[in-house]
C-alpha cells in the first residue's frame, strides 16, 4: 500500500500530539475527581439527617461508610477504589453499588443519547445543506428560523411542550416511559432539537464558504454533474467543521438527558442523578459525576484525536 | 453590433477644463465616522436586530416596573384564589398557592436577567485579565496559564455548577459563583487568541518603541481593538447563562421558593402543567423569547461590529 510521504514524516508529531492530549485528559479527570471528593466532604448536612436515628446508630453508620477516618485516608481509599473501577455504595438505595445503578440505567441513557445524536446529525446535515443550496429562498429562511428557535428554547421547556401537545392533547404518542419505538420519538426529538439547530447553522455556513471556492468553479468547468459537484466537492469539504463541535454537542445531549428523562420518565442515569441530588446521596452523585466526567473527557479526547488526523495543521506540526 | 462612435480625442471643444481648486483640497466631504458610529449605522439598518432590541428592552422594563403594576405581592399566598386562569384581577393567573403569576414572572425576570448579565460580564472581565496577560506576555507564564486552562477546559461547566450549588446555599450569589467558577475559561481562551493575533502588529511595536508600558499597551491599544468581538461574544453568552440558571433551578438546585426566577417558575409549572398548562407556558414563553431576542441581537451585533464576519453563522 502506498503511504503518502507527508503522513510518514508526520508520524512522530502525531504520536506526540496524542500523548499530550492524553496527559491533559488524565489531569482533567484527576482534578475533577479530587474536586468532587472535596466538595462532597464539605457539603452542609449529611446523608443520614433526614432519617430518624439515634446518635449511636448514626455514628455506626458513619463508621461503616468510613466517614470517621481522616480526610487524606478517605481520599487515598477513594482513589484506590476508583482505580479498581469501584464507585462505592449508594447511601440511599441500601446495598446497591453505584456501579450496579449505572450498569442498570446507563443503557437507557445511551440508547436515548445515541438516537438523539444520530437524528441530530442526519436532520442537521439535511437542513443545513438544503438551506445553503437554496440560499435566500423559502427553504433557507425556514431552516434559519428553525435553527434560531432551536437554540433559543431550553430542552426542558421543549420537552414539556411536546408532551403536552402531542401526547396529552393530540394523543399521537405515549405520554411517558420507555417501552418501544413509539415511546422514543418525543424524548429523542426534545433532546435533539438544540443539536439539530446547531449543526444546521454550522453546515449552512460551511457550505456557503465552500460553494464560493475556486475548485468548485474548476469542477463546473470540467463538466461534472451538479450532483457530483454537490456530493463530492461541496458536502465532503463542508462537513469537516462538525468534528470540532462534537465535544460540546455530546456534553449538551448528556446534560439534556437529565431533564428529558425526568419529563418522560425514562429510567436512565439522568433521572437517578437528579434524584440523588435531592436525596443528598453523596456516593451516588460522586460516582455518577465521575462517570459523566470521565465519559465527557474521553469523548473530547477522541474528538481531539480525530481532529488531529483531519486537520493537516495539527497532523504536520503537532501543535 | 453597434459600430463604435469615432471620437476625436484631440478636439478640445468636446471637453471642459476644470481648474484645480486648492482651497478644496483639505475639505472633508463626509464626516469621518468612528468605529462605533459605523457599527451603530450598520446595526440600525438591521430591522430584525432592532426589533429584538426593542422586545428585550420591553422585557427588561417590565421586570423593573411590572411588580408595581398590580396590588399583589409575589410572596403572599391567597388560599381563596389558587390555580386561577389568567383573568382581569390576576393577569397571568395564580399558582397552586394562590400567588399572583404576573408578580412572580417579573420578579423572576429580575433574577434571571440579573444572573444572565452578571455571570457573563464577570466571565468576560476575568477572561480579559487572564487571557490578556497570558497572550501578551507569552513565554513561561503563558505556558503555565494555558496548561491550567487546557486541563480545566475539559470539565463540563454544568457539572461544576451542579457541584458548587450543592455546597453553597441556594441564592443569586451562589448561582453566580457556580457559573463563574470555570465559566471564564472560554473567554480567556478566546481573548488570548485575539491578543496573540494583534500583539505583533506594527502599531503595537510603535507604541512599545515610544516607551508605553505593558499595562498601557494592553489597556489602551489591545483591548479596545478587540472590544467589538468581546461585545459580540458577550451578547452570545448571555442566553447561555440564562439557560444554565433556568436549568439549575429547574432540577431544583438554583433559586428556591418563595424567591423565584424563570427556571424556578418553569419547575413549579412543570409540576402542575397537566392540569394547568399556562403555569408552565407563561414562564417558558418569557425564557424562550428572551433567549431568542438575545441570540438574534447577538447575530446583528456580530454583523455590525465585525464586518468580516458578516453573514456567517446565520
Amino acid at each position: 500500500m502506498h503511504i503518502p510521504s507527508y503522513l510518514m514524516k508526520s508520524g512522530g508529531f502525531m504520536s506526540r500530539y496524542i500523548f499530550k492530549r492524553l496527559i491533559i485528559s488524565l489531569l482533567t479527570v484527576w482534578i475533577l475527581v479530587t474536586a468532587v471528593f472535596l466538595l462532597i466532604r464539605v457539603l452542609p448536612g449529611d446523608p443520614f439527617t433526614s432519617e430518624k436515628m439515634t446518635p449511636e446508630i448514626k455514628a455506626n453508620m458513619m463508621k461503616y461508610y468510613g466517614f470517621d477516618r481522616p480526610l487524606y485516608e478517605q481520599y487515598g481509599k477513594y482513589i484506590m477504589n476508583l482505580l479498581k473501577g469501584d464507585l462505592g455504595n449508594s447511601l440511599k438505595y441500601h446495598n446497591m453499588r453505584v456501579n450496579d445503578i449505572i450498569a442498570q440505567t446507563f443503557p437507557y441513557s445511551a440508547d436515548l443519547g445515541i438516537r438523539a445524536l444520530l437524528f441530530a446529525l442526519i436532520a442537521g446535515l439535511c437542513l443545513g445543506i438544503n438551506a445553503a443550496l437554496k440560499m435566500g429562498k423559502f427553504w433557507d429562511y425556514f431552516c434559519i428560523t428553525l435553527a434560531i428557535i432551536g437554540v433559543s428554547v431550553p430542552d426542558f421547556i421543549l420537552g414539556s411542550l411536546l408532551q403536552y401537545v402531542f401526547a396529552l392533547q393530540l394523543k399521537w404518542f405515549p405520554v411517558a416511559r420507555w417501552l418501544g419505538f413509539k415511546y422514543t420519538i418525543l424524548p429523542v426529538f426534545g433532546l435533539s432539537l438544540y443539536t439539530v439547530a446547531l449543526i444546521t447553522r454550522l453546515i449552512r455556513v460551511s457550505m456557503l464558504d465552500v460553494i464560493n471556492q475556486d475548485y468548485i468553479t474548476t469542477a463546473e468547468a470540467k463538466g461534472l454533474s451538479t450532483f457530483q459537484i454537490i456530493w463530492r466537492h461541496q458536502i465532503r469539504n463542508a462537513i469537516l467543521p462538525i468534528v470540532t463541535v462534537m465535544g460540546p454537542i455530546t456534553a449538551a445531549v448528556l446534560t439534556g438527558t437529565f431533564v428529558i428523562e425526568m419529563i418522560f420518565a425514562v429510567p436512565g442515569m439522568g433521572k437517578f442523578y437528579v434524584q440523588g441530588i435531592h436525596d443528598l446521596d453523596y456516593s451516588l452523585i460522586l460516582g455518577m459525576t465521575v462517570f459523566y466526567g470521565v465519559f465527557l473527557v474521553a469523548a473530547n479526547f477522541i474528538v481531539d484525536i480525530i481532529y488531529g488526523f483531519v486537520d493537516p495543521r495539527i497532523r504536520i506540526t503537532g501543535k | 453590433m453597434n459600430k463604435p462612435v469615432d471620437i476625436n480625442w484631440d478636439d478640445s471643444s468636446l471637453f471642459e477644463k476644470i481648474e484645480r481648486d486648492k482651497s478644496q483640497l483639505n475639505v472633508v466631504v463626509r464626516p469621518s465616522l468612528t468605529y462605533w458610529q459605523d457599527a451603530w449605522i450598520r446595526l440600525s439598518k438591521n430591522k430584525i436586530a432592532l426589533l429584538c432590541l426593542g422586545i428585550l428592552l420591553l422585557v427588561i422594563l417590565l421586570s423593573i416596573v411590572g411588580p408595581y403594576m398590580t396590588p399583589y405581592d409575589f410572596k403572599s399566598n391567597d388560599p381563596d384564589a389558587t390555580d386561577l386562569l389568567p383573568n382581569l384581577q390576576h393577569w397571568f393567573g395564580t399558582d397552586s398557592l394562590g400567588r399572583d403569576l404576573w408578580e412572580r414572572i417579573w420578579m423572576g425576570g429580575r433574577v434571571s436577567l440579573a444572573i444572565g448579565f452578571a455571570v457573563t460580564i464577570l466571565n468576560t472581565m476575568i477572561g480579559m485579565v487572564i487571557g490578556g496577560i497570558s497572550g501578551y506576555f507569552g513565554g513561561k507564564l503563558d505556558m503555565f496559564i494555558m496548561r491550567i486552562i487546557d486541563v480545566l477546559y475539559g470539565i463540563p461547566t454544568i457539572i461544576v455548577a451542579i457541584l458548587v450549588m450543592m455546597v453553597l446555599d441556594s441564592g443569586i450569589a451562589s448561582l453566580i459563583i457556580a457559573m463563574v467558577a470555570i465559566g471564564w475559561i472560554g473567554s480567556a481562551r478566546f481573548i488570548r487568541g485575539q491578543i496573540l493575533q494583534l500583539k505583533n502588529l506594527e502599531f503595537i511595536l510603535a507604541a512599545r518603541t515610544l516607551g508605553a508600558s505593558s499595562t498601557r499597551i494592553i489597556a489602551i491599544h489591545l483591548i479596545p481593538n478587540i472590544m467589538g468581538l468581546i461585545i459580540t461574544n458577550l451578547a452570545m453568552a448571555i442566553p447561555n447563562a440564562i439557560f444554565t440558571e433556568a436549568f439549575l433551578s429547574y432540577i431544583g438546585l438554583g433559586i428556591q421558593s418563595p424567591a423565584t426566577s424563570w427556571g424556578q417558575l418553569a419547575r413549579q409549572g412543570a409540576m402542575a402543567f397537566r392540569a394547568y398548562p399556562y403555569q408552565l407556558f407563561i414562564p417558558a414563553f418569557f425564557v424562550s423569547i428572551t433567549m431568542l431576542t438575545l441570540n438574534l441581537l447577538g447575530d446583528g451585533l456580530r454583523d455590525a461590529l465585525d464586518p468580516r464576519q458578516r453573514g456567517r453563522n446565520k
Side-chain angles (χ1 to χ4, degrees):
Chain A
M1 201 177 87
H2 174 71
I3 299 169
S5 57
Y6 62 85
L7 274 184
M8 287 175 47
K9 270 187 223 152
S10 64
F13 289 122
M14 201 57 211
S15 53
R16 208 174 71 193
Y17 171 77
I18 293 175
F19 180 71
K20 200 175 121 191
R21 300 310 311 177
L22 185 68
I23 295 292
I24 289 176
S25 302
L26 289 177
L27 272 175
T28 307
V29 170
W30 175 69
I31 298 235
L32 180 71
V33 165
T34 308
V36 168
F37 175 83
L38 289 176
L39 281 176
I40 299 283
R41 300 298 136 155
V42 298
L43 272 179
D46 63 63
F48 310 117
T49 39
S50 56
E51 292 165 45
K52 285 176 187 154
M53 51 175 74
T54 61
E56 291 97 53
I57 297 177
K58 200 171 152 179
N60 276 336
M61 292 288 270
M62 298 291 267
K63 199 171 172 186
Y64 178 76
Y65 286 110
F67 289 150
D68 56 338
R69 315 297 303 169
L71 208 59
Y72 64 87
E73 217 172 286
Q74 289 183 38
Y75 181 65
K77 190 158 174 278
Y78 167 65
I79 293 286
M80 282 316 291
N81 284 340
L82 271 188
L83 288 176
K84 281 186 254 168
D86 179 10
L87 296 169
N89 288 308
S90 164
L91 300 177
K92 197 82 185 177
Y93 308 94
H94 298 289
N95 303 322
M96 271 193 77
R97 287 166 60 225
V98 177
N99 292 37
D100 297 334
I101 295 179
I102 292 177
Q104 231 176 62
T105 55
F106 183 68
Y108 292 101
S109 296
D111 190 12
L112 175 62
I114 291 171
R115 280 168 199 265
L117 268 181
L118 279 180
F119 176 74
L121 274 174
I122 296 168
L125 276 172
C126 291
L127 289 175
I129 291 170
N130 206 354
L133 293 179
K134 308 233 162 73
M135 196 182 94
K137 299 203 184 115
F138 168 78
W139 262 107
D140 190 20
Y141 291 114
F142 176 80
C143 293
I144 297 173
T145 313
L146 191 79
I148 199 88
I149 292 175
V151 294
S152 301
V153 180
D155 39 19
F156 55 88
I157 286 170
L158 184 73
S160 307
L161 199 71
L162 290 173
Q163 195 181 41
Y164 183 74
V165 175
F166 293 105
L168 289 171
Q169 295 298 314
L170 296 172
K171 300 197 194 306
W172 288 356
F173 299 104
V175 176
R177 299 207 292 167
W178 191 259
L179 301 170
F181 180 68
K182 262 182 97 173
Y183 291 83
T184 65
I185 294 171
L186 291 182
V188 165
F189 195 73
L191 185 56
S192 58
L193 187 69
Y194 176 83
T195 317
V196 171
L198 211 67
I199 295 179
T200 304
R201 282 169 74 133
L202 200 73
I203 285 294
R204 179 179 172 276
V205 172
S206 125
M207 276 291 280
L208 290 180
D209 267 0
V210 169
I211 283 172
N212 291 323
Q213 297 286 331
D214 288 342
Y215 61 80
I216 299 300
T217 320
T218 312
E220 278 167 11
K222 282 198 301 187
L224 293 186
S225 69
T226 315
F227 176 78
Q228 272 185 313
I229 293 175
I230 292 174
W231 183 247
R232 286 194 21 211
H233 294 271
Q234 294 181 351
I235 293 179
R236 267 208 200 170
N237 286 299
I239 57 175
L240 262 184
I242 288 197
V243 180
T244 56
V245 292
M246 278 320 280
I249 282 177
T250 316
V253 168
L254 202 120
T255 43
T257 57
F258 293 5
V259 285
I260 292 291
E261 284 175 8
M262 259 173 41
I263 292 170
F264 291 100
V266 179
M269 264 182 85
K271 200 163 162 268
F272 271 79
Y273 191 67
V274 176
Q275 194 56 44
I277 290 170
H278 285 276
D279 298 340
L280 282 184
D281 191 341
Y282 292 0
S283 31
L284 183 66
I285 307 162
L286 194 82
M288 284 197 167
T289 305
V290 169
F291 184 83
Y292 277 132
V294 173
F295 183 82
L296 281 176
V297 172
N300 271 327
F301 175 68
I302 294 169
V303 169
D304 277 348
I305 301 303
I306 294 175
Y307 195 59
F309 276 107
V310 296
D311 188 337
R313 281 169 303 186
I314 294 174
R315 196 173 58 210
I316 307 292
T317 62
K319 286 271 162 64
Chain B
M1 291 293 283
N2 291 331
K3 219 179 154 199
V5 186
D6 280 329
I7 295 172
N8 178 11
W9 293 101
D10 297 327
D11 182 1
S12 56
S13 68
L14 283 174
F15 301 100
E16 182 191 349
K17 194 173 183 195
I18 297 174
E19 291 299 322
R20 178 181 278 186
D21 184 355
K22 290 242 167 77
S23 69
Q24 293 297 308
L25 270 183
N26 288 324
V27 173
V28 180
V29 184
R30 245 171 273 142
S32 88
L33 295 172
T34 65
Y35 172 63
W36 297 104
Q37 287 168 328
D38 207 28
W40 172 246
I41 289 173
R42 278 198 290 267
L43 185 67
S44 56
K45 279 188 191 144
N46 186 339
K47 297 280 181 307
I48 294 176
L50 279 190
L51 181 70
C52 288
L53 186 64
I55 295 175
L56 192 64
L57 288 177
L58 186 69
V59 170
I60 293 173
L61 183 75
L62 277 169
S63 295
I64 297 168
V65 302
Y68 304 113
M69 290 165 73
T70 59
Y72 307 103
D73 174 60
F74 80 101
K75 271 196 265 196
S76 52
N77 308 344
D78 182 355
D80 298 328
T82 59
D83 293 323
L84 291 179
L85 282 169
N87 56 46
L88 283 176
Q89 277 82 43
H90 299 279
W91 295 340
F92 284 164
T94 59
D95 67 6
S96 56
L97 293 173
R99 296 176 293 199
D100 182 68
L101 277 176
W102 171 272
E103 290 288 315
R104 290 185 72 72
I105 287 285
W106 298 119
M107 289 309 284
R110 288 183 183 184
V111 174
S112 286
L113 289 170
I115 290 176
F117 281 86
V119 165
T120 318
I121 290 171
L122 273 175
N123 278 341
T124 308
M125 279 166 55
I126 298 174
M128 254 154 74
V129 173
I130 294 182
I133 291 174
S134 179
Y136 181 76
F137 291 105
K140 285 218 175 78
L141 184 69
D142 182 40
M143 270 283 283
F144 179 67
I145 294 178
M146 280 316 286
R147 287 300 84 78
I148 293 178
I149 287 182
D150 273 345
V151 169
L152 292 181
Y153 193 66
I155 304 176
T157 318
I158 208 116
I159 282 186
V160 173
I162 288 174
L163 289 172
V164 175
M165 282 314 291
M166 290 179 63
V167 181
L168 301 176
D169 300 330
S170 64
I172 299 179
S174 310
L175 272 169
I176 293 177
I177 294 172
M179 283 191 256
V180 174
I182 66 164
W184 54 270
I185 285 175
S187 56
R189 269 169 71 117
F190 165 74
I191 287 162
R192 173 181 172 273
Q194 295 299 323
I195 298 269
L196 277 182
Q197 279 187 10
L198 283 183
K199 76 169 184 183
N200 290 322
L201 293 183
E202 285 78 3
F203 70 99
I204 302 298
L205 182 67
R208 203 176 297 142
T209 316
L210 288 171
S213 68
S214 299
T215 323
R216 188 183 158 84
I217 291 178
I218 293 182
I220 307 281
H221 296 292
L222 288 174
I223 297 285
N225 268 299
I226 56 171
M227 212 55 201
L229 286 173
I230 292 177
I231 289 179
T232 307
N233 258 36
L234 208 73
M236 298 291 206
I238 294 172
N240 283 339
I242 292 179
F243 166 77
T244 308
E245 182 279 316
F247 176 85
L248 289 172
S249 296
Y250 186 85
I251 65 171
L253 275 174
I255 303 288
Q256 307 280 348
S257 186
T260 192
S261 73
W262 284 340
Q264 196 268 342
L265 284 167
R267 172 187 168 77
Q268 296 214 314
M271 290 173 182
F273 96 104
R274 290 196 184 188
Y276 307 104
Y278 66 93
Q279 291 185 12
L280 173 64
F281 291 156
I282 294 172
F285 173 77
F286 285 106
V287 178
S288 305
I289 199 80
T290 307
M291 284 179 60
L292 183 68
T293 51
L294 277 165
N295 275 324
L296 286 170
L297 186 62
D299 274 359
L301 277 174
R302 185 193 47 227
D303 292 350
L305 292 168
D306 185 15
R308 283 171 305 171
Q309 294 282 316
R310 200 177 307 183
R312 294 175 65 94
N313 293 328
K314 276 265 170 66

